[in-house]
Amino acid sequence: MISLRGICRHYRLGEQQLAALTDIDLDIAQGEYLSIMGPSGSGKSTLLNQIALLDRPTAGTYLLNGRDVTSLPDDELARIRRENMGFVFQFFHLIPRLSAAENIEIPLLLAGIDPSLRKRKVTEAITAIGLAGRSAHRPDQLSGGERQRVAIARATIMQPSTLLADEPTGNLDQATGKQVIDLLEDLNRRGVTLIMVTHDQAIGGRAGRRIRIVDGRIIGAG
Amino acid sequence: MISLRGICRHYRLGEQQLAALTDIDLDIAQGEYLSIMGPSGSGKSTLLNQIALLDRPTAGTYLLNGRDVTSLPDDELARIRRENMGFVFQFFHLIPRLSAAENIEIPLLLAGIDPSLRKRKVTEAITAIGLAGRSAHRPDQLSGGERQRVAIARATIMQPSTLLADEPTGNLDQATGKQVIDLLEDLNRRGVTLIMVTHDQAIGGRAGRRIRIVDGRIIGAG
Ligand SMILES: Nc1ncnc2c1ncn2[C@@H]1O[C@H](COP(=O)(O)OP(=O)(O)OP(=O)(O)O)[C@@H](O)[C@H]1O
Ligand SMILES: Nc1ncnc2c1ncn2[C@@H]1O[C@H](COP(=O)(O)OP(=O)(O)OP(=O)(O)O)[C@@H](O)[C@H]1O
Ligand SMILES: [Mg+2]
Ligand SMILES: [Mg+2]
């Protein structure tokens, strides 16, 4: 259970203050399928980064399974993230000097999975995401949508209890996008909490619950 | 008039050769509105880079207004691009240490436009793309869709005779995407050749002419 109470996040730019998130109250139960939609610049990525413990609020409280995690030190937040969360970034953040397969393997390495099992899991992930034949390519040798799919495979390979995806189909054609959504929804059916930011109305509408962000606030039903 | 004849582009990866484009024949008249669609990894960005003279073919001929530009030296290609083309990259390629306004200003600086006219044009471009209030932000202080719009403003500010856009609405909500497409189509109505790669069927369908790429080849009507 993820509970955000009165979460605010502002940025300082010189003299000015920009309120990116204001008074966010949000409860997300384990296994939910939530979509977050809203105009460009409205605060969706900022909210997802708060939920993922990648960024700290400037006000408010974050309870994770009843525990206040708002003010934990960085290394503790990193441990919680690594053990519980998979994140697909809006711009992927792949490691440039590693191949697609090596990028996807990283969460397995961090979890101490043994080499033969790692190899098998990476091969399965690459096939599931439609990247057979591209596993040796580095990110700069991949198309935009291929990089996006490497990011998705990396985020999902450990079947984390919570999966956060920021625009996971933005660089994909209809058919490939469907393949990705099927993969994510299959994880959700097996109990993974799925929180997806998307600009695609058709995809956002598939979620069990939809929230809309405008100017840093949740509007309508949370 | 852009004429591609027998254009091929392969990549070498170790021992292997990957054919990204094969036997591309394509004529594009001045003022046309062309969309390029197809699966992720099919060669769309590679084709756009060929048309934009950002990349050289491994075989074939490129005639620009009847002149063979296939084997021109780099600095000559750069001059032709600068004087004739605007390019919106799939991942923007903004200059990290410059603000949004400074990024947008660059083509005006390269063209020797005087400071007061530059200032006015940048302000108009920023307003037209919906980024008022964000002009001083650097790219890392902007949302994904805001960066995309800076890239679009930079590509269009000199009203180049040819505009190439690689997934220009991939990070934008419906309303903001429409604002961008209106801007691009307005340029096209004034005589700018508009060549757009898109995964959005609705947007691709608006073009006067649609081509589809699969496995590096144009299929169906060119
Ligand atoms: N470091 C920063 N400093 C100042 N303002 C910032 C910073 N990062 C983001 N912003 C601003 O915060 C607002 C919210 O950004 P965010 O990335 O959350 O938007 P978003 O909803 O994900 O947009 P998009 O749909 O375009 O990806 C934006 O208007 C952006 O300009
Ligand atoms: N430097 C490279 N070396 C080897 N292969 C490459 C290189 N760059 C791209 N490729 C391959 O060439 C193919 C075409 O790439 P391209 O970027 O043109 O695809 P695309 O149609 O734009 O895809 P998307 O819709 O995902 O952006 C891809 O399968 C990609 O893996
Ligand atoms: Mg975003
Ligand atoms: Mg591409």
Side-chain angles (χ1 to χ4, degrees):
Chain A
M1 169 66 106
I2 290 165
S3 290
L4 273 57
R5 285 284 176 281
I7 290 289
C8 297
R9 174 62 160 119
H10 63 251
Y11 293 106
R12 276 226 183 71
L13 216 63
E15 292 281 317
Q16 289 194 314
Q17 186 159 298
L18 195 155
L21 293 175
T22 303
D23 288 341
I24 301 292
D25 292 334
L26 185 58
D27 290 323
I28 303 168
Q30 181 63 41
E32 276 209 68
Y33 178 3
L34 175 74
S35 70
I36 300 170
M37 304 188 73
S40 171
S42 58
K44 304 178 300 296
S45 295
T46 304
L47 176 57
L48 211 65
N49 288 340
Q50 291 291 321
I51 297 169
L53 298 169
L54 286 166
D55 185 29
R56 293 175 186 279
T58 39
T61 310
Y62 183 151
L63 298 168
L64 185 58
N65 300 321
R67 176 190 181 197
D68 187 336
V69 294
T70 323
S71 316
L72 291 181
D74 286 350
D75 59 345
E76 183 65 9
L77 293 180
R79 189 189 61 81
I80 293 171
R81 283 198 307 269
R82 200 169 55 243
E83 293 178 1
N84 294 291
M85 295 179 183
F87 201 107
V88 185
F89 294 90
Q90 190 166 3
F91 298 109
F92 326 145
H93 299 318
L94 302 180
I95 297 179
R97 57 186 174 72
L98 297 184
S99 71
E102 289 166 338
N103 265 284
I104 291 165
E105 191 187 16
I106 285 169
L108 302 174
L109 279 168
L110 292 174
I113 307 292
D114 75 74
S116 61
L117 183 55
R118 285 202 314 260
K119 193 161 158 47
R120 180 152 59 80
K121 285 198 148 306
V122 169
T123 303
E124 286 171 9
I126 282 175
T127 307
I129 208 96
L131 288 177
R134 297 291 184 274
S135 56
H137 290 226
R138 290 187 318 266
D140 65 314
Q141 298 168 324
L142 291 170
S143 79
E146 291 168 344
R147 290 177 208 168
Q148 185 152 40
R149 285 179 276 159
V150 173
I152 290 158
R154 179 182 63 180
T156 52
I157 197 158
M158 284 288 291
Q159 299 201 9
S161 58
T162 300
L163 183 62
L164 304 110
D166 199 344
E167 316 273 359
T169 64
N171 286 282
L172 301 177
D173 57 286
Q174 200 106 346
T176 315
K178 178 177 189 314
Q179 193 179 8
V180 160
I181 296 300
D182 286 348
L183 190 151
L184 300 178
E185 290 183 351
D186 179 63
L187 287 172
N188 175 247
R189 272 191 296 276
R190 297 197 239 161
V192 170
T193 306
L194 178 56
I195 304 166
M196 192 186 308
V197 168
T198 183
H199 280 308
D200 188 316
Q201 307 272 359
I203 289 173
R206 298 173 62 87
R209 186 176 159 212
R210 294 167 288 288
I211 69 173
R212 185 165 173 77
I213 307 251
V214 177
D215 279 338
R217 291 175 188 273
I218 295 174
I219 59 167
Chain B
M1 167 69 104
I2 289 164
S3 293
L4 274 57
R5 287 284 177 280
I7 291 289
C8 297
R9 174 61 160 118
H10 63 251
Y11 294 107
R12 274 222 185 72
L13 217 64
E15 292 281 317
Q16 289 195 317
Q17 185 160 298
L18 193 155
L21 292 176
T22 303
D23 288 341
I24 301 291
D25 292 335
L26 185 59
D27 289 326
I28 304 168
Q30 182 62 42
E32 276 209 66
Y33 179 3
L34 176 74
S35 68
I36 301 170
M37 305 189 71
S40 170
S42 59
K44 303 178 299 297
S45 296
T46 304
L47 177 58
L48 212 65
N49 288 340
Q50 291 291 322
I51 298 169
L53 297 170
L54 286 165
D55 185 32
R56 294 174 186 278
T58 39
T61 310
Y62 183 151
L63 299 168
L64 184 59
N65 301 320
R67 176 189 181 198
D68 189 334
V69 295
T70 322
S71 317
L72 291 180
D74 285 351
D75 60 343
E76 182 65 9
L77 292 180
R79 187 188 63 80
I80 294 172
R81 284 198 305 269
R82 201 170 54 241
E83 292 178 1
N84 295 290
M85 295 179 183
F87 200 107
V88 186
F89 294 90
Q90 192 167 0
F91 298 110
F92 326 145
H93 299 318
L94 302 180
I95 297 179
R97 56 186 174 71
L98 297 185
S99 71
E102 290 165 339
N103 267 283
I104 293 165
E105 190 187 19
I106 284 170
L108 303 173
L109 280 169
L110 292 175
I113 307 291
D114 75 72
S116 60
L117 183 56
R118 286 204 311 263
K119 192 158 157 49
R120 181 152 59 79
K121 284 196 149 305
V122 169
T123 304
E124 287 171 9
I126 282 175
T127 306
I129 209 96
L131 287 176
R134 297 290 183 273
S135 58
H137 290 226
R138 290 188 318 267
D140 65 314
Q141 297 168 324
L142 291 171
S143 78
E146 290 168 346
R147 290 176 208 169
Q148 186 153 39
R149 285 179 277 158
V150 173
I152 291 159
R154 177 182 64 180
T156 53
I157 196 157
M158 284 287 292
Q159 301 201 8
S161 59
T162 301
L163 183 62
L164 305 111
D166 199 344
E167 316 272 1
T169 63
N171 286 281
L172 302 176
D173 57 285
Q174 201 106 343
T176 314
K178 178 175 188 318
Q179 193 178 8
V180 160
I181 295 302
D182 286 348
L183 190 150
L184 299 179
E185 290 183 352
D186 179 64
L187 287 172
N188 175 249
R189 273 190 296 276
R190 297 197 239 159
V192 171
T193 306
L194 177 56
I195 304 166
M196 193 186 307
V197 169
T198 183
H199 281 306
D200 189 316
Q201 307 273 358
I203 289 173
R206 298 173 63 87
R209 188 176 158 211
R210 292 167 290 286
I211 71 175
R212 186 165 173 75
I213 306 250
V214 177
D215 279 337
R217 293 176 188 271
I218 295 174
I219 60 168

Short mmCIF file of all heavy atoms in Angstrom, two decimals, chain A residues 143-145 171, chain B residues 41 44-46 90 166-167 197 199, ligand 4:
data_model
loop_
_atom_site.label_atom_id
_atom_site.label_comp_id
_atom_site.label_asym_id
_atom_site.label_seq_id
_atom_site.Cartn_x
_atom_site.Cartn_y
_atom_site.Cartn_z
N SER A 143 17.05 1.47 -32.58
CA SER A 143 16.06 2.49 -32.88
C SER A 143 15.43 3.00 -31.57
O SER A 143 15.61 2.40 -30.50
CB SER A 143 14.97 1.90 -33.78
OG SER A 143 14.05 1.13 -33.00
N GLY A 144 14.67 4.10 -31.68
CA GLY A 144 14.03 4.68 -30.50
C GLY A 144 13.13 3.69 -29.77
O GLY A 144 13.19 3.55 -28.54
N GLY A 145 12.32 3.01 -30.53
CA GLY A 145 11.40 2.04 -29.92
C GLY A 145 12.11 0.79 -29.40
O GLY A 145 11.62 0.14 -28.47
N ASN A 171 7.21 5.60 -28.23
CA ASN A 171 8.01 5.46 -29.45
C ASN A 171 7.70 4.17 -30.19
O ASN A 171 8.51 3.69 -30.97
CB ASN A 171 9.51 5.47 -29.09
CG ASN A 171 9.98 6.87 -28.73
OD1 ASN A 171 10.20 7.70 -29.61
ND2 ASN A 171 10.08 7.12 -27.44
N GLY B 41 11.79 -0.12 -35.48
CA GLY B 41 12.99 -0.77 -36.01
C GLY B 41 12.97 -0.99 -37.51
O GLY B 41 13.90 -1.59 -38.06
N LYS B 44 12.63 3.90 -40.33
CA LYS B 44 12.05 5.24 -40.54
C LYS B 44 13.05 6.35 -40.22
O LYS B 44 13.24 7.28 -41.02
CB LYS B 44 10.78 5.41 -39.70
CG LYS B 44 9.73 4.33 -39.98
CD LYS B 44 8.50 4.50 -39.11
CE LYS B 44 8.78 4.40 -37.62
NZ LYS B 44 9.30 3.06 -37.24
N SER B 45 13.66 6.29 -39.03
CA SER B 45 14.63 7.33 -38.65
C SER B 45 15.83 7.29 -39.58
O SER B 45 16.37 8.34 -39.95
CB SER B 45 15.09 7.15 -37.20
OG SER B 45 14.01 7.32 -36.30
N THR B 46 16.24 6.08 -39.97
CA THR B 46 17.36 5.95 -40.90
C THR B 46 17.02 6.64 -42.23
O THR B 46 17.85 7.37 -42.79
CB THR B 46 17.71 4.46 -41.13
OG1 THR B 46 17.99 3.85 -39.87
CG2 THR B 46 18.92 4.31 -42.03
N GLN B 90 14.06 12.52 -33.08
CA GLN B 90 13.23 11.65 -32.23
C GLN B 90 13.55 11.89 -30.75
O GLN B 90 12.67 11.81 -29.90
CB GLN B 90 13.45 10.18 -32.60
CG GLN B 90 12.46 9.21 -32.00
CD GLN B 90 12.51 7.83 -32.63
OE1 GLN B 90 13.30 7.56 -33.55
NE2 GLN B 90 11.67 6.92 -32.15
N ASP B 166 10.73 13.74 -36.77
CA ASP B 166 10.76 12.32 -36.36
C ASP B 166 9.96 12.16 -35.07
O ASP B 166 10.44 12.50 -33.98
CB ASP B 166 12.22 11.87 -36.17
CG ASP B 166 12.37 10.36 -36.21
OD1 ASP B 166 11.35 9.65 -36.07
OD2 ASP B 166 13.52 9.89 -36.38
N GLU B 167 8.74 11.66 -35.19
CA GLU B 167 7.83 11.45 -34.05
C GLU B 167 7.59 12.74 -33.25
O GLU B 167 7.82 12.75 -32.04
CB GLU B 167 8.39 10.38 -33.09
CG GLU B 167 8.95 9.13 -33.74
CD GLU B 167 7.89 8.07 -33.98
OE1 GLU B 167 6.70 8.30 -33.66
OE2 GLU B 167 8.27 7.03 -34.52
N VAL B 197 7.76 11.42 -39.71
CA VAL B 197 7.68 10.04 -39.23
C VAL B 197 6.75 10.05 -38.02
O VAL B 197 6.89 10.90 -37.13
CB VAL B 197 9.06 9.52 -38.81
CG1 VAL B 197 8.93 8.19 -38.06
CG2 VAL B 197 9.97 9.37 -40.00
N HIS B 199 4.14 7.39 -35.32
CA HIS B 199 3.48 6.14 -34.98
C HIS B 199 1.98 6.35 -34.78
O HIS B 199 1.24 5.40 -34.56
CB HIS B 199 4.05 5.56 -33.67
CG HIS B 199 5.36 4.86 -33.86
ND1 HIS B 199 5.51 3.86 -34.79
CD2 HIS B 199 6.56 5.00 -33.25
CE1 HIS B 199 6.76 3.41 -34.73
NE2 HIS B 199 7.42 4.09 -33.82
MG MG C 4 12.89 6.04 -35.06
#
